[in-house]
Amino acid sequence: MSPTRSQVKVPAASTPAASGVLKVCGRNIVDKDGKPVILRGAGLDSFIRDLDAIFLSSTGYPGHEHGMRKSLKKVLGEEKYDFFFDRFLEYFFAEEDAKFFASLGLNCIRIPVNYRHLEDDMNPGVYLERGFQWIDRVVNLCAAEGVYTIIDLHAAPGGQNPDWHCDSGTHIAKFWQHIEFQNRAVEIWKALAERYKGNTWVAGYNPLNEPALEEDDLLLDFYECVEKAIREIDPDHILYWDGNMFASDFSKFEHPLPNSVYACHDYSNFGFPNNPTYTGSPEQKGESTNVPLRVTSPSSKSLLKTFERKTAFQEKIQGPIWNGEFIGREGRIYVQTRPEFSLSIGEWGPVYANPDDGPNWKAVNEVRYHVLKDQLAIYNERKISWSIWLYKDIGFQGMVYASPDTAYITRLKPFLQKKKRLAADAWGADVSAIEGIFKPVEDWLNEEVPGIVHKYPPTWKARKHISRLIRNILLSEELYPEYAAYFEGLSFEELDEMAAGFKFQNCLQRQGLNDAIRPK
């Protein structure tokens, strides 16, 4: 007999935070008494976003969430499909996770949201209450442990950038081509603002993750539009605005919006495979300077110069920054150099090796921890808020990760190995095994259409465009059925066991990472 679909288990709301609703005051995020608050935490990837921490390079599925889900539903049927994902979401972040997170001295979780969990493309504007309840669950679980949350629209209708993580399924950011997609995003934020206005444990809203488009005016116009819509409902919460080109470029930003933080994502290439080995040399760290705003070469690889390029606008407006992610992409921005400026880093953090990567995997991870610590030194010196990417996965990047002996990992191991060998994923893929296949294509494109070096995004070059179209889309789409086949014929009990691999008690802790990010 199949189980009845259960309700989302949303714990009761906690007592309001003593801080009141956080706000921006000058260079700082402050509480109701004006006391500065530094937000330190992690992104809860794979929760109600595109679930890549259980399925993508950090976990397992190829391509894009909506394609993976369609293949799984075909194999499982709707009832088992709903059962598996309900159990996964329940187990992925529970009371034990919130307690552990708070025990590290961290105080903020970024909740990445995929719009598909809040509305159906075939019925836009009719909101799915269950999706909002999953957000409620995390907000309340965190609040019970004294942890704030930031709600992040990580995947918007049509896709706000050409990459995999906005779940569009294409390399074209259609969000910027159709006003209907932008209007839908605004309406989603109106619904979210109505739900969370006055909630003192919500540290604010991140209206759009990593936009990437050539026309900066379109981005700035959208920001003004969604800011006005949110403010008509919720005038109090902080708004966190990502820069253009994947939260790295603020060069066309001019007038800051009120009660706002401008968020950069400070990924260092040293934290990824197929890049120079980080030794912590003065050249790799970069030298701090006190000279006026200036332009820096986009080829600079030092941690400090990369950081400064991505935070120039925040220095210019004398306001706070949030680093919402960090690990390894290179931005092309202008420099700010005043260390007293309060900053916030919206995403960051290296990826890590495991025993399957060869005998030197521990040494590789020690180098990655070195990168992490040197980035943290920059942030701590400047009293910057940050959110590392990410909290939980299958052993690629998370603070905790599903143990190799769980049902999910053991069952999918052959597929995970194949996907890794093919470098099907965009995130942190090691392309050394397939270099000989794609390098001739790259050389051919550069010779026949040299203008490809100017194709947007300009940091991608021919190599990235090829990998996006061939490996991350075409190849990965053809892997959907193979992935889904591993679930075929599983009973409800077996599906529950698969999802339970992500319970906190079934996970391992990445001690080196957790020790490094624990506030001292």
Side-chain angles (χ1 to χ4, degrees):
M1 183 176 179
S2 60
T4 302
R5 191 174 192 188
S6 60
Q7 297 295 312
V8 178
K9 298 175 183 177
V10 180
S14 295
T15 303
S19 63
V21 176
L22 300 180
K23 62 182 179 180
V24 173
C25 182
R27 295 174 177 269
N28 299 312
I29 295 171
V30 301
D31 65 12
K32 63 181 176 60
D33 298 320
K35 181 181 178 181
V37 175
I38 299 176
L39 300 174
R40 299 183 178 99
L44 190 59
D45 193 29
S46 87
F47 186 68
I48 192 169
R49 207 260 299 190
D50 53 357
L51 304 172
D52 74 322
I54 100 168
F55 302 113
L56 278 174
S57 56
S58 10
T59 44
Y61 79 80
H64 303 87
E65 181 198 359
H66 71 278
M68 172 277 297
R69 281 178 167 270
K70 182 178 180 180
S71 294
L72 269 185
K73 184 177 284 190
K74 184 177 180 180
V75 165
L76 291 174
E78 187 165 358
E79 189 176 24
K80 285 185 175 179
Y81 167 89
D82 288 339
F83 175 85
F84 173 72
F85 282 107
D86 286 347
R87 287 293 189 271
F88 164 71
L89 290 172
E90 180 181 336
Y91 297 154
F92 189 84
F93 194 82
E95 182 180 358
E96 296 82 358
D97 294 281
K99 287 182 178 298
F100 168 72
F101 193 83
S103 76
L104 294 176
L106 303 177
N107 64 356
C108 189
I109 285 268
R110 181 178 181 228
I111 307 175
V113 177
N114 187 334
Y115 81 95
R116 298 177 192 274
H117 295 277
L118 304 181
E119 69 172 10
D120 192 315
D121 280 326
M122 299 304 290
N123 199 12
V126 177
Y127 296 121
L128 307 173
E129 174 62 18
R130 195 175 186 88
F132 288 89
Q133 289 172 358
W134 285 117
I135 303 175
D136 293 343
R137 173 180 163 87
V138 178
V139 170
N140 290 359
L141 284 170
C142 289
E145 304 302 327
V147 174
Y148 296 102
T149 47
I150 292 174
I151 300 170
D152 148 42
L153 185 58
H154 217 83
Q160 70 274 19
N161 65 53
D163 220 338
W164 57 274
H165 41 82
C166 63
D167 193 33
S168 67
T170 79
H171 66 299
I172 299 172
K174 294 184 179 179
F175 181 85
W176 306 109
Q177 296 179 352
H178 301 278
I179 192 64
E180 291 86 355
F181 289 144
Q182 297 173 43
N183 290 341
R184 284 169 59 184
V186 170
E187 292 301 314
I188 287 171
W189 273 113
K190 288 167 67 174
L192 288 166
E194 186 65 45
R195 197 175 190 99
Y196 298 108
K197 63 183 180 181
N199 190 318
T200 57
W201 288 110
V202 173
Y205 311 134
N206 188 188
L208 199 62
N209 177 69
E210 294 196 348
L213 67 159
E214 292 186 82
E215 301 83 2
D216 291 88
D217 289 347
L218 289 178
L219 173 61
L220 298 176
D221 287 347
F222 172 74
Y223 277 180
E224 290 184 5
C225 178
V226 71
E227 188 265 350
K228 180 180 179 181
I230 292 172
R231 292 299 185 216
E232 288 177 352
I233 298 167
D234 181 350
D236 300 320
H237 274 111
I238 296 171
L239 301 180
Y240 299 81
W241 305 103
D242 283 17
N244 199 356
M245 204 161 73
F246 307 106
S248 72
D249 188 354
F250 294 89
S251 59
K252 302 298 183 182
F253 285 52
E254 294 181 357
H255 307 294
L257 295 169
N259 199 26
S260 291
V261 175
Y262 286 83
C264 76
H265 291 182
D266 192 27
Y267 290 106
S268 168
N269 287 336
F270 292 123
F272 282 84
N274 311 125
N275 281 291
T277 299
Y278 185 74
T279 63
S281 68
E283 292 76 19
Q284 290 177 329
K285 287 184 178 181
E287 298 291 336
S288 180
T289 59
N290 292 305
V291 298
L293 196 69
R294 67 192 187 281
V295 176
T296 310
S297 166
S299 64
S300 171
K301 299 292 185 182
S302 78
L303 299 182
L304 182 61
K305 297 307 181 188
T306 298
F307 165 78
E308 289 180 335
R309 288 200 303 274
K310 294 177 181 179
T311 56
F313 175 70
Q314 293 86 338
E315 169 65 15
K316 178 181 176 181
I317 64 172
Q318 301 286 286
I321 307 170
W322 177 53
N323 182 355
E325 298 182 28
F326 65 111
I327 299 182
R329 284 193 299 265
E330 186 72 11
R332 186 181 61 141
I333 302 291
Y334 297 77
V335 171
Q336 63 94 18
T337 56
R338 297 181 186 174
E340 75 275 11
F341 181 46
S342 174
L343 308 173
S344 178
I345 310 298
E347 285 186 25
W348 68 292
V351 298
Y352 299 98
N354 61 60
D356 293 337
D357 293 317
N360 295 325
W361 69 277
K362 289 185 178 179
V364 169
N365 286 348
E366 287 303 317
V367 170
R368 303 283 167 78
Y369 294 142
H370 192 177
V371 176
L372 179 95
K373 291 173 183 177
D374 283 351
Q375 286 186 280
L376 275 172
I378 294 172
Y379 308 153
N380 290 338
E381 180 186 352
R382 290 158 174 77
K383 297 181 173 60
I384 296 167
S385 294
W386 49 259
S387 180
I388 198 166
W389 197 254
L390 51 88
Y391 171 63
K392 184 184 286 186
D393 65 2
I394 62 167
F396 190 65
Q397 193 174 8
M399 297 165 56
V400 301
Y401 55 94
S403 174
D405 60 5
T406 58
Y408 183 86
I409 303 300
T410 54
R411 187 175 188 86
L412 281 169
K413 188 172 183 178
F415 180 78
L416 297 175
Q417 291 174 333
K418 177 179 179 178
K419 191 162 62 73
K420 185 175 183 177
R421 172 174 56 83
L422 297 176
D425 298 317
W427 193 238
D430 184 348
V431 300
S432 56
I434 57 158
E435 181 77 9
I437 298 172
F438 290 94
K439 186 60 166 63
V441 180
E442 179 186 351
D443 292 342
W444 171 71
L445 273 175
N446 283 327
E447 180 178 352
E448 296 294 341
V449 284
I452 197 169
V453 299
H454 304 298
K455 184 176 175 63
Y456 193 87
T459 54
W460 277 20
K461 309 306 180 187
R463 172 171 296 205
K464 174 62 177 178
H465 288 292
I466 292 167
S467 65
R468 176 75 184 117
L469 288 165
I470 299 178
R471 297 204 311 274
N472 309 152
I473 296 179
L474 180 60
L475 171 65
S476 294
E477 286 175 350
E478 294 305 307
L479 289 173
Y480 288 153
E482 187 173 337
Y483 170 79
Y486 282 86
F487 291 78
E488 192 165 6
L490 295 185
S491 65
F492 286 99
E493 292 76 15
E494 289 169 322
L495 289 170
D496 183 78
E497 186 182 15
M498 292 277 278
F502 294 91
K503 286 184 175 180
F504 181 78
Q505 57 265 38
N506 295 328
C507 289
L508 303 179
Q509 299 175 24
R510 190 172 297 283
Q511 201 62 45
L513 169 59
N514 297 334
D515 288 344
I517 63 176
R518 186 194 297 266
K520 303 299 190 289

